[in-house]
């Protein structure tokens, strides 16, 4: 297996995404990574219709955004092109919706940014999704149910 690369993928296939990169895993882990200086934001809406994102970093259901990557907007940030949401303890049953937004406030990257979004549930990788996203664009990537 390959070593972890802090790239939003489970490179070593152990069911945890980017372990050792400074952000957390849990019974649900959703990790977004991208390949430019863009500031891309991850939005995860839980079964209680509460959305976790940079402006609301924890939900009543136990969800946490523990890494808000700012791309070129914040110089010297560790892992500036990764965002990570996870659940401590038992995540609630129901539907989860995942969106990404190319915020682009101080974006040096013109055109499309390539993103990778991975989801792990209960220590197993549910899937990884690759999307291109343009400045100011906001898209729903996927949803899943527990």
């Amino acid at each position: 297996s390959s070593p972890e690369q802090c790239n939003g993928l489970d490179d070593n296939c152990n069911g945890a995404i980017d372990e050792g990169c400074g952000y957390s895993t849990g019974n649900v882990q959703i990790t977004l990574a991208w390949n430019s200086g863009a500031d891309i934001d991850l939005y995860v809406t839980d079964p209680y219709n509460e959305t976790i994102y940079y402006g609301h970093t924890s939900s009543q259901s136990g969800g946490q955004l523990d890494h808000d990557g700012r791309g070129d907007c914040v110089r010297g940030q560790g892992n500036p092109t990764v965002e990570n949401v996870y659940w401590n303890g038992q995540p609630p049953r129901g539907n989860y919706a995942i969106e990404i937004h190319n915020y682009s406030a101080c974006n040096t990257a013109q055109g499309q940014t390539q993103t990778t979004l991975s989801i792990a549930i209960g220590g197993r990788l549910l899937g990884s999704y690759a999307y291109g996203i343009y400045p100011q664009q906001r898209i729903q990537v996927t949803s899943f149910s527990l």
Side-chain angles (χ1 to χ4, degrees):
S1 68
S2 303
E4 288 293 346
Q5 302 289 318
C6 305
N7 59 0
L9 292 169
D10 179 16
D11 296 294
N12 64 1
C13 302
N14 71 345
I17 303 158
D18 289 356
E19 70 274 9
C21 294
Y23 32 95
S24 297
T25 188
N27 283 321
V28 170
Q29 182 186 1
I30 301 157
T31 306
L32 172 70
W34 60 96
N35 71 344
S36 77
D39 181 352
I40 298 187
D41 293 316
L42 175 62
Y43 292 79
V44 180
T45 301
D46 73 12
Y48 302 128
N49 210 30
E50 194 173 357
T51 302
I52 302 160
Y53 69 106
Y54 67 87
H56 185 74
T57 57
S58 62
S59 71
Q60 292 179 16
S61 67
Q64 301 276 333
L65 173 77
D66 71 335
H67 193 75
D68 175 18
R70 300 295 311 282
D72 288 343
C73 296
V74 175
R75 294 290 174 193
Q77 182 184 31
N79 296 314
T81 59
V82 173
E83 297 219 340
N84 187 66
V85 170
Y86 72 100
W87 262 259
N88 258 333
Q90 189 57 47
R93 298 231 168 260
N95 193 58
Y96 293 73
I98 303 167
E99 294 176 282
I100 59 175
H101 178 227
N102 189 338
Y103 182 67
S104 313
C106 50
N107 190 359
T108 57
Q110 298 306 309
Q112 200 175 54
T113 290
Q114 297 302 315
T115 68
T116 300
L117 181 119
S118 295
I119 303 167
I121 298 173
R124 292 185 56 221
L125 192 69
L126 179 69
S128 294
Y129 305 83
Y131 276 85
I133 188 169
Y134 289 98
Q136 307 306 326
Q137 190 177 16
R138 181 168 173 167
I139 54 176
Q140 180 165 329
V141 174
T142 190
S143 61
F144 63 90
S145 291
L146 291 182

